[in-house]
Amino acid sequence: SVQAHQEEDNPQKTMEVNGLTPVPESYDYDLIVIGGGSGGLAAAKEAAKYGKKVMVLDFVTPTPQGSSWGLGGTCVNVGCIPKKLMHQAALLGQALQDSRKFGWQFTEEVKHNWMTMTESVQNYIGSLNWGYRVSLRDTKVTYENAYGEFVGPHTIKATNKKGVEKLYTAERFIIATGERPRYLGIPGDKEYCISSDDLFSLPYCPGKTLVVGASYVALECAGFLAGLGLDVTVMVRSILLRGFDQDMANKIGEYMKEHGVNFIREFVPIKVEQVEEGTPGLLKVTAKSTTGDQMIEGEYNTVLLAIGRDPCTRKIGLDKVGVNINEKTGKIPVNDEEQTNVPHIYAVGDILQGKLELTPVAIQAGRLLVRRLYAGATAKCDYVNVPTTVFTPLEYGACGYSEETAVEKFGEENIEVYHNHFWPLEWTVPSRDNNKCYAKIICNIQDNERVIGFHVLGPNAGEVTQGFAAAIKCGLTKEQLDSTVGIHPVCAEV
Amino acid sequence: MGWEETQVRGYPEFVRTAQSYHGRPIFALFCGDKDAEGKSWCPDCVTAEPVVRKELHNLPDESVFIYCLVGDRAYWKDPNNEFRRNLKLTGVPTLLKYGTPQKLVEEECFKAELVRMLFTED
């Protein structure tokens, strides 16, 4: 078990925490941030605003396939940004089909070019990487493209890609090293499979793809690959979108199935072999049932693993400075001020135990932490009622409790669920599904029917959910919701 | 071999010149035309040029520095001019590393540190 450090009430400590005592001459920096992703960069830039001397260390260990990327972390390079752009590419394909019903005439068949899309996406990402570097240099934050690890209580060793080592000291540290995709641990996985780290810069079209996993990463990738016209199969060990409202998760799965994504349920791959080399080549996957002895085989051009992500906390010298991690998961437990068990070492982002793995959460946590450290602020990051969206072909936006968790916490008799299917007006003319879009709210009867869960499945779910998240934060009740006049004709009016 | 500078005017000449140096790192500074006294109609370009020139010695070996006059003020203001359309330039001065998303625009060009970063880092 792990103990989070308890701060003693101590005026000297309070002064130090508020940055009012001078930095000892012996430290190179006030703050070193390990990891230049969403959380790390937000914290570094914020600290620079208060005149602190800050260094950011960012380094990407190449994937087994050799992929690497620039400054900005997962979200910018191999996460949210390229994902949403490729999701958009797939939606545009659908829109082109719909457009004929709205009168657009084009005689050529519509095809998709993977390389054109990928080049545009990578070009945009490149401009973001550059933008971050300009921003850091402009705010006098020192950035080094080097792998940071602790070698002493206040000392970091930074190793660049040429193997050159340098030592730096700082008064405080923020660990923001994020996560990387997990591999299966079966023969052929690292040699032949790719992960989301490789997909968004893949220099050839993936072709017929097997996606292993049932996470939002797996379903979003499977979704846009299918939307681009590829033959996609998803291999699921048990349930879809663990941790999300299962009613909604199943609807997402159904929609994907009806729109051309194949699902293989209750199987796990046990080996991957190469049938033919190439870009893409041909791979043979052997899988075993989780419920019996049945074995199946399939051939695919690409196998994309999306079975989970592991924190990058095992090889950064945390043992040398006594920072506790959860040995099983690699996550770092922190108190509600993002402080580890070592008082001068903090952590933000995906690596935190028990916190949401989302870019805006990391950014918020990083900024507020720095304001508390150097600007005398007291506000802590609010991890409750954080809205999220899954960008599957039918988008899913949510804020608050899932139905299952609400029932568990409040009791079935104390919650009321209101729900509705809806048919987006834009879908009527092109004769798209009239019974797939769906909205549901979960209310706490004992608290004025306060809205404690919001779920919507439909186009632009992210845009719809954002506003309702603010309302929920203000304590929205069912009555208030009912008395809000709808905008017509939009999906959100439901 | 160190670096070399070449000066061009207008979009077609710029493209021809950039193509002729294909294979070498190319950096380009785009400025508004200069009058008979050698003064540009673009005040930010007047400020930026000496800053950029002072950092040129940091250019990597083999690279080419193209100094490009884009045209007169009226040409530049036209939202459809070839530099805006094809090179996606949004303002002058712009200093960029050709063929990459790396660029500095307007006041960013006044900062020696940023210019040096563009010239020397990957």
Side-chain angles (χ1 to χ4, degrees), chain A residues 357-369:
Chain A
E357 296 177 21
L358 295 167
T359 284
V361 171
I363 293 175
Q364 178 87 311
R367 280 197 192 131
L368 294 181
L369 166 62

Side-chain angles (χ1 to χ4, degrees), chain A residues 451-463:
Chain A
V451 177
I452 57 170
F454 172 92
H455 304 264
V456 67
L457 193 60
N460 306 117
E463 308 293 356

Side-chain angles (χ1 to χ4, degrees), chain A residues 123 126-127 130 133 137-138, chain B residues 101 103 111 113 117 121-122:
Chain A
N123 209 45
S127 72
W130 174 250
R133 290 173 58 198
R137 189 59 70 94
D138 222 14
Chain B
K103 63 178 180 178
K111 300 178 184 175
E113 274 262 11
M117 183 168 83
E121 293 179 29
D122 258 330

Side-chain angles (χ1 to χ4, degrees), chain A residues 30 66 69 82 160 173 280 322 325 378 401 419 460 480:
Chain A
D30 292 307
W69 49 89
N160 72 11
F173 299 86
I325 67 170
T378 51
Y401 288 96
H419 65 147
N460 306 117
Q480 287 170 320

Side-chain angles (χ1 to χ4, degrees), chain A residues 11-55:
Chain A
Q12 166 74 0
K13 202 84 196 164
T14 313
M15 267 186 78
E16 278 176 0
V17 160
N18 284 319
L20 293 173
T21 51
V23 179
E25 285 301 315
S26 50
Y27 295 132
D28 299 323
Y29 292 91
D30 292 307
L31 178 68
I32 291 182
V33 179
I34 313 176
S38 304
L41 289 180
K45 287 197 270 195
E46 189 74 18
K49 265 164 63 175
Y50 303 116
K52 296 298 158 189
K53 199 166 172 221
V54 190
M55 161 176 268

